[in-house]
Amino acid sequence: MPTRRDPESRLPVVIVGAGLAGLTVALQIAPERPVIVLAKRRLDEGATAWAQGGIVGVLGSDDSIDSHVRDTQAAGAGLVDEHTARFIAHHSAEAVAWLVERGVPFSADPEGPLGLHLTREGGHAVRRIAHAADATGKAIHDVLLDEVRRHPNIALRERWMAVDLITSRHLREEAAPPRCYGVYALDIETQRVETLPAAAVVLATGGVGKVYRYTSNPDTATGDGIAMAWRAGGRVGNMEFIQFHPTCLYHPQERSFLITEALRGEGAHLRLPNLDGEAGRFMAAHDERLELAPRDIVARAIDFEMKKHGVDHVWLDAAPIVAAKGEGYLRAHFPTIHARCLALGIDIARQPIPVVPAAHYTCGGVVTDLDGRSDLPGLYAVGETTYTGLHGANRLASNSLLECVVLGRTCASHILANARAGSPALPAWDESQVENADEQVVIAHNWDELRLLMWNYVGIVRTTKRLERALHRIKLLKREIDDYYGSFRVTRDLLELRNLVDCAELIVRSALSRHESRGLHYSRDYPEALPVSFPTIVGRRGKRRDAD
């Protein structure tokens, strides 16, 4: 049965995802319209709370918008949209000030701009990273989430997962214009799928790191927003560019703990585990910027050295920081890393940290403009879920939190100024032809197989043959998963696997279409960069075309 027709004035904005991007949009919209925020796990389990480094702000007297744009373009390897980069850099100081006004406890420096201590990370020409020690994301998320919890116009639905977008194809009207009207959402506690009409839907679900066996991402990073937008007919861009963080802790008791590159920014050295001191350092053989090179270069260098020397990890040595600034400085600026490593028997002031690269950030995603608008009217997306042109072929460190705030605010403004009139009746979720799954082993097996083949065939270094093998297996998995989806009632595990396999196919198809090595995409078959290159924009028919 269709849901009843709701007056436009009562329709909420539905935000899928409760990280920095989603909460920013919610706080900006809530004073004028009701908001529903969906979080498929606990509200504190998203990627924002895991972010260690910081947020970019063009604040210092030695900094400028032009300098920030140049650094973003250099990291993005020729595929950064300059207008996007300049727009976000221009609004960076305003974004940081917005967070300061809300009470985010950034690390202080009485002599710094806005009273903030600024640090430097790889790829940045100057210190421009506002941070809260080494747990910036958690500090930001805690403050915004507390404000959202207290707002009377925001409804938080924890353990609710979006199943699919409700679009014109779901309506029973002839020739309905393309549009997003709401979302089907699974209440994980009751296992019921509800129909949620919306004035607008905002996808803020983060990236797709869990498609790989090794990742620094939380369990929420299953590409939900990208897959839903793709199935609804939206374009996606630059999905081949998956950033592998160079330094994820290598320890049997920790599978996803990231070691921030701010540690390298403050002077920590990378070296081989079988050589001591300067003799073990290897970055000079790969880039003149040494440990301050962009992430893609550092990750490939570590991968190369590990394979060359047959080692399972390399060392990240903080001894130079202790020697230059003292052990107290190290502990004060990196308390989370110090405490976590110490609990595992590693004193980072005296012992090097074992690290490996791991899938970390999705530079591509749903194609949107600077207001967060997708190809489908009524559907918006913000944050890591999107492709805006900011990150190009590789993300510059700490630009991601900035993008969430700047474009989260512009997205909210556009929604408030362009709320649609009227709401058609929407069909209820139909599960009359499905039954409860008789066993879960199919999901568990396919999940493991997908993540392993993506790690082995679509990792840091790629070949055409590996990509073709991956695509063949992905097609088979996709058929199995689609058959399972059509036969049984949905669960979170099934929905996440369905989304992951869609994203895996997009990553591989995009990688196969790029006949060069650029930024995060390195191919042994095409080791050189082309003199002229364009973003990979894929439409629903699977064709590659250059960005407009």
Side-chain angles (χ1 to χ4, degrees), residues 248-276:
C248 197
L249 180 64
Y250 181 78
H251 194 279
Q253 297 176 34
E254 282 289 352
R255 60 191 178 99
S256 299
F257 186 65
L258 181 149
I259 306 296
T260 176
E261 66 180 315
L263 202 64
R264 287 183 283 119
E266 292 290 345
H269 292 167
L270 288 165
R271 60 182 178 85
L272 293 165
N274 50 359
L275 294 172
D276 293 328

Side-chain angles (χ1 to χ4, degrees), residues 386-422:
T386 68
Y387 164 74
T388 64
L390 174 65
H391 304 305
N394 185 16
R395 175 181 71 104
L396 180 65
S398 292
N399 265 354
S400 52
L401 294 182
L402 175 63
E403 182 183 39
C404 288
V405 177
V406 172
L407 299 191
R409 298 177 72 193
T410 61
C411 174
S413 296
H414 190 275
I415 291 172
L416 289 173
N418 296 275
R420 65 184 176 87

Side-chain angles (χ1 to χ4, degrees), residues 49 94 104 154 214 368 371 428 491 497:
E94 178 185 326
V104 174
I154 300 176
Y214 300 109
T368 67
D371 291 323
T491 64
L497 179 60

